[in-house]
Amino acid sequence: MNLDNLIKFSKQISGSIEFEKNLKSTNWFNIGGKSKIFFKPNSLIELKNFLKLYNNSGKIFIIGAGSNVLFSDKYYDGVVIKLGKMFSNLSLLDENTIVAGSSSTDKKLSEFAKISGISGFEFLSCIPGSVGGGIKMNAGCFKNEFKDILVSVQAIDISGNIKTITANKINFEYRKSNFPNDLIFLSGTFRGKKEDPKIIEKQMNEMKNKKNLAQPSKIKTSGSTFKNPIGHTKKKVWELIKDSVPLDTKFGGASISKKHCNFFVNENNANFEDMNNLINFVKDEVKKKTGIDLELEIILVK
Ligand SMILES: Cc1cc2nc3c(=O)[nH]c(=O)nc-3n(C[C@H](O)[C@H](O)[C@H](O)COP(=O)(O)OP(=O)(O)OC[C@H]3O[C@@H](n4cnc5c(N)ncnc54)[C@H](O)[C@@H]3O)c2cc1C
């Protein structure tokens, strides 16, 4: 990649390119080092042209709302791409089908579904991520997951080819999908069922109340640190942690949430090492006490 060409390109676009960008401000943990390039395209053509210039010359990471990632403090020698506002459009394809831009928040999508009288999207009101991140993670709660409403994904690969992938071609598991890591989702097509918006609203409020009671808010966290170990025990991961680890354990500024012990918190200027030490400590203690190997839900980016 030619840096001069990239600087020239950055002056011609309505999106933005930042060099040596501090990644802390891009994620909920508020942790991370610098990224060589941080690119925020504001149109598909800008994204295509960037990929052409970049020419697969280094690492690429796509970030959504940053609510499920933990960046290392080390230099990210590559590009972090975050789709801009122009990728957040929401529109009706027919009476129960919605096309949602990847950078729309899950909350906005659930509101749009509600006012359009389409049910099945209520759970999205409880997830603080973007549509792109939700598709990748197969995010979910209250027994609903992205895969239940997803029809297809529109995406661009690193060579600039646009693709439509139908959901039945993807292997979705609990908080996991098998999309290639360098595939950039542009939008998703989702289908629900016609329903009275008042009933949808009631359902959404019930879910939000339940979530608020069980989980902390307004803290620097990435939500559930580990996945529930389905198939190994009937216990939820928070119960395993509670049984195995003193809940006042801290590493530097990283601590365990008092409201939900699977939520780890950047309480006081934690860095990656603090958070990673806490993660490894909890994983080791749970293994020692229960024999269960916990799997990370959050994505580590090094
Ligand atoms: C307070 C709190 C509560 C939470 N509650 C829940 C919950 O109830 N259920 C749940 O499942 N999760 C929950 N989470 C975790 C998180 O919100 C979800 O995993 C969410 O779907 C992540 O979306 P994001 O946009 O923040 O993705 P990011 O964290 O930015 O990225 C996550 C993954 O998605 C990929 N990605 C993001 N955008 C794109 C794109 N456009 N194209 C390709 N790949 C992309 C990234 O590369 C990365 O691999 C919670 C998090 C917090 C902080």
Side-chain angles (χ1 to χ4, degrees):
M1 182 196 51
N2 181 314
L3 214 56
D4 289 339
N5 287 347
L6 198 58
I7 292 169
K8 217 187 274 169
F9 172 74
S10 73
K11 291 180 180 146
Q12 295 160 356
I13 57 173
S14 80
S16 63
I17 293 189
E18 291 172 71
F19 298 95
E20 312 293 316
K21 162 92 171 175
N22 193 326
L23 292 171
K24 273 188 188 176
S25 61
T26 67
N27 65 87
W28 274 58
F29 261 138
N30 209 230
I31 289 175
K34 285 183 178 168
S35 165
K36 184 174 178 184
I37 307 166
F38 188 83
F39 174 45
K40 215 168 165 185
N42 224 2
S43 68
L44 184 53
I45 191 74
E46 285 179 7
L47 179 54
K48 264 191 109 160
N49 286 339
F50 174 86
L51 291 171
K52 211 169 168 184
L53 272 177
Y54 194 63
N55 195 21
N56 204 8
S57 58
K59 297 202 281 187
I60 293 192
F61 184 77
I62 324 301
I63 191 167
S67 64
N68 208 50
V69 288
L70 175 58
F71 282 110
S72 155
D73 289 330
K74 290 201 184 117
Y75 190 65
Y76 187 80
D77 193 12
V79 60
V80 175
I81 300 180
K82 182 178 170 83
L83 300 187
K85 275 205 183 94
M86 294 299 277
F87 293 87
S88 66
N89 197 40
L90 298 168
S91 59
L92 272 183
L93 195 61
D94 61 39
E95 60 160 21
N96 59 354
T97 310
I98 299 173
V99 180
S102 281
S103 70
S104 162
T105 62
D106 295 338
K107 286 185 182 170
K108 283 199 174 131
L109 175 53
S110 72
E111 280 297 317
F112 183 79
K114 182 185 80 183
I115 57 170
S116 307
I118 307 174
S119 80
F121 296 71
E122 295 83 347
F123 73 103
L124 296 181
S125 61
C126 298
I127 302 178
S130 69
V131 167
I135 294 171
K136 176 79 172 191
M137 299 304 303
N138 188 24
C141 55
F142 304 116
K143 299 196 171 128
N144 302 277
E145 292 177 316
F146 261 72
K147 72 167 174 45
D148 304 331
I149 48 174
L150 188 70
V151 178
S152 63
V153 177
Q154 295 74 48
I156 184 167
D157 67 19
I158 42 167
S159 309
N161 304 306
I162 310 281
K163 304 174 168 185
T164 295
I165 304 159
T166 50
N168 59 11
K169 295 259 159 54
I170 300 303
N171 186 16
F172 286 107
E173 290 174 43
Y174 166 59
R175 305 296 168 265
K176 195 173 169 185
S177 65
N178 66 343
F179 290 101
N181 278 338
D182 53 9
L183 191 68
I184 306 171
F185 309 143
L186 303 168
S187 59
T189 303
F190 298 91
R191 188 169 297 136
K193 286 192 183 128
K194 286 307 287 174
E195 186 53 277
D196 180 349
K198 285 202 183 103
I199 295 179
I200 296 175
E201 176 147 29
K202 191 168 169 267
Q203 177 93 33
M204 272 162 76
N205 287 338
E206 278 171 19
M207 286 180 174
K208 282 192 263 187
N209 289 340
K210 259 195 203 166
K211 179 112 175 172
N212 283 339
L213 282 176
Q215 294 180 2
S217 57
K218 299 192 178 95
I219 52 167
K220 294 174 183 171
T221 182
S222 265
S224 297
T225 311
F226 298 102
K227 297 182 185 184
N228 283 312
I230 294 168
H232 297 285
T233 165
K234 285 208 170 92
K235 287 193 173 176
K236 296 267 189 195
V237 63
W238 69 264
E239 292 173 279
L240 298 175
I241 296 174
K242 193 164 164 273
D243 294 347
S244 314
V245 184
L247 297 183
D248 58 358
T249 302
K250 285 185 189 186
F251 283 86
S255 62
I256 298 172
S257 159
K258 291 185 182 56
K259 201 163 174 187
H260 194 304
C261 59
N262 192 26
F263 278 46
F264 294 0
V265 192
N266 173 2
E267 201 182 6
N268 188 14
N269 276 325
N271 57 24
F272 173 80
E273 207 189 329
D274 296 337
M275 198 53 76
N276 202 36
N277 284 339
L278 181 61
I279 289 170
N280 290 333
F281 176 78
V282 171
K283 192 174 158 58
D284 289 349
E285 290 303 296
V286 169
K287 174 79 181 170
K288 268 191 238 158
K289 293 265 162 52
T290 69
I292 292 172
D293 258 321
L294 292 181
E295 193 188 335
L296 267 186
E297 180 170 323
I298 58 175
I299 309 282
L300 292 192
V301 190
K302 292 181 182 174

